[in-house]
Amino acid sequence: MWDDETSDVLSARQVQLARDAGALTVLPVALTSRIGVHLFAGHFAAAAALIEEQAAVTEATGSRLAPPYGALLLAAWRGRGAEVSELIGGSTSEVVARGEGAGLTVIQWASAVLCNGLGRYEDALAAAEQATEDPQNLGFTARMLPELIEAATRSGMPERAADALKRLAETTRASGTDWALGIEARSCALLNEHEDAERLYREAIGRLGRTRVGLELARAHRLFREWLRRENRRLDAREHLRGAHEALTDMGAEAFAERARRELVATGETVRKRTVEARDELTPQEAHIARLARDGHTSPEIGAQLFISPRTVDWHLQKVFAKLDINSRRKLRDALPDRTRSSAAS
């Protein structure tokens, strides 16, 4: 990722400092957890920026404690099949060599998410079932079972979905949180009809709406609106699908957003594919640097955090200014509003 043209190269002193600071060798693992938080919240741009930071830290320290799970899951949620295939190819051999069974589960999870988003339900079912075979991976299994249930119901195999729902309920009811019970209600709705299905979808949306897992909430809205259309309640479906489409598009969940768009079209709505705004054309590295500069960090401070030189920071900022059609750091606050703070304030 480094090249002479951008001078995006760590100095020998920076590398030595990074290696001497033993804590930095585990920083990629911590960043993986934080990336996961942003993914579930639906903050894909923030997750992408942290993935860039993780790559820089890994390069600087030589740490191999954290395979690129964050990048893999982000690509899966975005529906980018070629990118997922490339990342799986690069990660599988490393995970197998290290004996990380949980790592293989993450890879299968990403495959199931990707295939569900693209409507390849039988492939999603195969990946999800393989991922849930190991009883040792309880945490990952709980994440995988909703993918299995959706894939099985869409593949016309309700008996497999029902079995997975029983396993899911053992975890969700023990947890008792709105997140857990909202996922259970959404999954149960897929196996029900008429009034029961509607009640369960509304319960799922209500519970997930009280959490910060915006991605799962958006999926619940989309599934509910798809159900409304199949019930011939086209006007209700059209009204609510707009919100799901906008939310998924804003997050960058491209495959799921496209499914919502197709459902809208099926209700008679005219929906154009949304154009990408200028701020979304920034690379993850540019977006990360721009946000840090917007929040008042100096170029040396940004460089120290990302292990690049202040001159490289300024070089990236000049590209950011050109893309956003601004000419100073002061204007970054208007060009890149802090969506997280705005949503929290509302």
Side-chain angles (χ1 to χ4, degrees):
M1 63 182 292
W2 316 113
D3 56 64
D4 293 335
E5 181 181 352
T6 64
S7 300
D8 211 352
V9 181
L10 303 180
S11 69
R13 176 62 175 160
Q14 284 176 309
V15 172
Q16 190 59 50
L17 286 172
R19 286 176 175 161
D20 288 345
L24 282 180
T25 62
V26 297
L27 181 56
V29 178
L31 286 171
T32 295
S33 297
R34 191 176 175 193
I35 290 164
V37 170
H38 282 297
L39 286 176
F40 276 110
H43 302 155
F44 285 8
L50 288 173
I51 288 166
E52 288 282 339
E53 182 177 344
Q54 184 185 54
V57 173
T58 299
E59 181 76 15
T61 63
S63 172
R64 286 292 178 264
L65 294 178
Y69 298 142
L72 175 59
L73 288 169
L74 176 60
W77 283 114
R78 283 176 164 170
R80 299 180 179 177
E83 186 176 346
V84 169
S85 296
E86 182 179 351
L87 287 167
I88 287 177
S91 301
T92 301
S93 57
E94 179 181 348
V95 168
V96 170
R98 291 157 56 126
E100 293 183 4
L104 288 175
T105 303
V106 173
I107 289 171
Q108 292 151 356
W109 178 16
S111 296
V113 167
L114 173 70
C115 293
N116 269 335
L118 296 175
R120 291 162 36 196
Y121 298 117
E122 292 185 2
D123 292 336
L125 179 60
E129 287 189 323
Q130 189 174 1
T132 55
E133 286 177 353
D134 187 354
Q136 302 296 325
N137 291 331
L138 292 178
F140 287 122
T141 296
R143 300 278 189 268
M144 283 300 314
L145 287 170
E147 302 299 334
L148 195 163
I149 293 165
E150 180 173 346
T153 55
R154 295 296 193 246
S155 299
M157 302 179 184
E159 67 287 347
R160 295 195 194 180
D163 178 67
L165 181 60
K166 291 178 183 177
R167 296 170 61 192
L168 177 66
E170 292 175 359
T171 301
T172 54
R173 293 177 188 178
S175 171
T177 64
D178 278 325
W179 181 357
L181 295 176
I183 294 296
E184 181 187 340
R186 189 187 75 191
S187 300
C188 190
L190 288 165
L191 283 161
N192 279 271
E193 298 178 348
H194 309 306
E195 292 85 357
D196 287 338
E198 180 168 3
R199 174 182 55 80
L200 288 162
Y201 277 125
R202 292 192 183 279
E203 178 187 346
I205 290 168
R207 288 187 178 278
L208 293 171
R210 294 193 290 270
T211 74
R212 298 174 64 186
V213 287
L215 180 60
E216 299 292 7
L217 174 62
R219 288 185 73 182
H221 275 292
R222 178 187 58 76
L223 289 170
F224 182 36
R225 309 326 166 194
E226 290 178 0
W227 176 84
L228 285 169
R229 188 181 71 81
R230 288 193 296 273
E231 291 288 301
N232 293 318
R233 293 166 58 178
R234 288 175 175 260
L235 291 178
D236 290 338
R238 183 183 304 173
E239 176 184 352
H240 297 295
L241 270 167
R242 289 193 197 102
H245 177 249
E246 289 176 3
L248 291 164
T249 301
D250 285 344
M251 289 176 191
E254 297 160 12
F256 288 100
E258 175 60 16
R259 278 180 56 182
R261 189 189 72 82
R262 290 197 300 266
E263 288 287 333
L264 266 173
V265 170
T267 68
E269 183 89 342
T270 300
V271 187
R272 294 183 177 87
K273 291 188 177 181
R274 294 200 9 211
T275 58
V276 180
E277 299 178 29
R279 59 174 169 270
D280 296 324
E281 294 176 355
L282 302 179
T283 68
Q285 179 85 326
E286 290 167 351
H288 194 186
I289 290 171
R291 281 192 295 272
L292 291 172
R294 175 202 63 193
D295 293 341
H297 295 282
T298 65
S299 292
E301 289 171 343
I302 296 172
Q305 181 171 333
L306 301 183
F307 299 101
I308 57 178
S309 70
R311 185 164 68 89
T312 299
V313 172
D314 291 336
W315 182 84
H316 279 297
L317 283 174
Q318 290 304 312
K319 294 178 66 180
V320 168
F321 294 163
K323 288 182 177 182
L324 299 180
D325 194 25
I326 60 176
N327 55 19
S328 71
R329 292 179 182 232
R330 292 192 302 275
K331 295 182 179 179
L332 282 171
R333 191 166 295 277
D334 292 330
L336 292 172
D338 190 335
R339 293 181 180 177
T340 303
R341 291 178 185 171
S342 298
S343 60
S346 62

